[in-house]
Amino acid sequence: MKVELPLAQATALLDQSSKGAGNSNAALNLIIDRLRTDAMQADRHRIESLLRTLELRLDPPPELATAVAQARQLLEMEPVDHTRPSSSYVRILRGLATRVETLRVSAATYASAPEGADVAPVHERLGRTAEAHGGNVCWFHHDRGLSDWPLWDRPGWQRIQRLVQGRWITLLTVDSAADLVPPMCVGEPQWGRRGLETWLYGWGIRLVCRAEAEAGAPR
């Protein structure tokens, strides 16, 4: 991962440091510290997001189990000064992030689309979302023209349900949470978004909504 500091921000840091310290070395060190901090925060966030998926895998292979344990251990070892992480810490964290990014769990996508709609682009987007969250999509399911139906009565979702109950997947990606809750079920805790997430998590499955993930929501 390449971290770049905007020119205006770098110039401001140089001016700030030059006025306070009176030498260019202090200005350079200030910029280096900022770059390391940004890289550290980005990698820690990335690893944490991937672990939320990978840690749900039942009976993980040795490579995955070892990498997950090492990643969790390193995340617990924080630098003494978060504004000045050492180069060795940042380097180790980057190496671990690269390793964790290669690990995958089985995933599925589900889409609810209007009658006659082309769902291929939707599944393609959902596939990219799954990959960004540690998933390798093996199943693509959808329903057309059934957005008013209860989720459990939709044929496409019933196929997802069989994957869930058979523990074939660890990650499920959807376009939006609204696709999962028909109008008649809005406001009903058991059949709403939270109820569905609780049900999936009980089977060891993480739900990721693409719209929220792209907006930066912690989902």
Side-chain angles (χ1 to χ4, degrees):
M1 180 187 64
K2 184 178 181 181
V3 178
E4 296 181 348
L5 201 63
L7 179 59
Q9 188 176 357
T11 302
L13 287 171
L14 281 169
D15 291 342
Q16 174 186 345
S17 182
S18 296
K19 292 176 182 178
N23 61 74
S24 59
N25 287 336
L28 181 59
N29 289 336
L30 188 62
I31 292 176
I32 291 174
D33 287 340
R34 179 63 63 84
L35 289 172
R36 286 178 180 169
T37 299
D38 290 347
M40 175 192 70
Q41 292 175 344
D43 280 335
R44 286 181 64 89
H45 177 77
R46 176 69 177 144
I47 293 172
E48 185 64 52
S49 178
L50 289 169
L51 288 183
R52 289 184 60 196
T53 300
L54 300 174
E55 287 178 331
L56 292 174
R57 169 76 182 269
L58 291 176
D59 300 322
E63 180 186 6
L64 190 151
T66 299
V68 166
Q70 291 177 345
R72 183 57 67 189
Q73 184 178 27
L74 184 59
L75 288 180
E76 293 174 355
M77 299 170 56
E78 300 183 2
V80 177
D81 186 350
H82 282 262
T83 64
R84 301 182 63 186
S86 67
S87 60
S88 59
Y89 179 85
V90 173
R91 184 171 60 254
I92 293 173
L93 194 66
R94 174 87 290 262
L96 183 60
T98 300
R99 180 184 178 189
V100 172
E101 285 171 346
T102 65
L103 303 174
R104 290 287 181 267
V105 297
S106 296
T109 65
Y110 173 76
S112 177
E115 190 68 43
D118 182 8
V119 296
V122 178
H123 283 303
E124 184 177 349
R125 291 195 301 268
L126 295 179
R128 290 195 296 268
T129 299
E131 290 179 359
H133 290 80
N136 177 41
V137 179
C138 303
W139 294 274
F140 301 85
H141 293 305
H142 57 267
D143 288 297
R144 289 190 179 93
L146 301 179
S147 60
D148 290 336
W149 286 34
L151 188 62
W152 311 99
D153 292 339
R154 304 177 193 174
W157 180 261
Q158 289 173 353
R159 289 189 285 272
I160 291 291
Q161 189 174 355
R162 288 194 288 272
L163 292 175
V164 170
Q165 295 174 335
R167 296 186 182 274
W168 288 98
I169 60 174
T170 304
L171 178 68
L172 173 65
T173 58
V174 299
D175 211 35
S176 168
D179 293 343
L180 307 176
V181 185
M184 68 180 69
C185 295
V186 173
E188 297 185 19
Q190 182 180 1
W191 306 112
R193 160 73 176 276
R194 294 304 175 190
L196 179 61
E197 283 186 317
T198 300
W199 178 75
L200 288 170
Y201 193 80
W203 287 97
I205 295 168
R206 181 183 180 187
L207 174 68
V208 173
C209 298
R210 182 194 62 82
E212 296 176 3
E214 291 185 355
R219 177 59 48 217

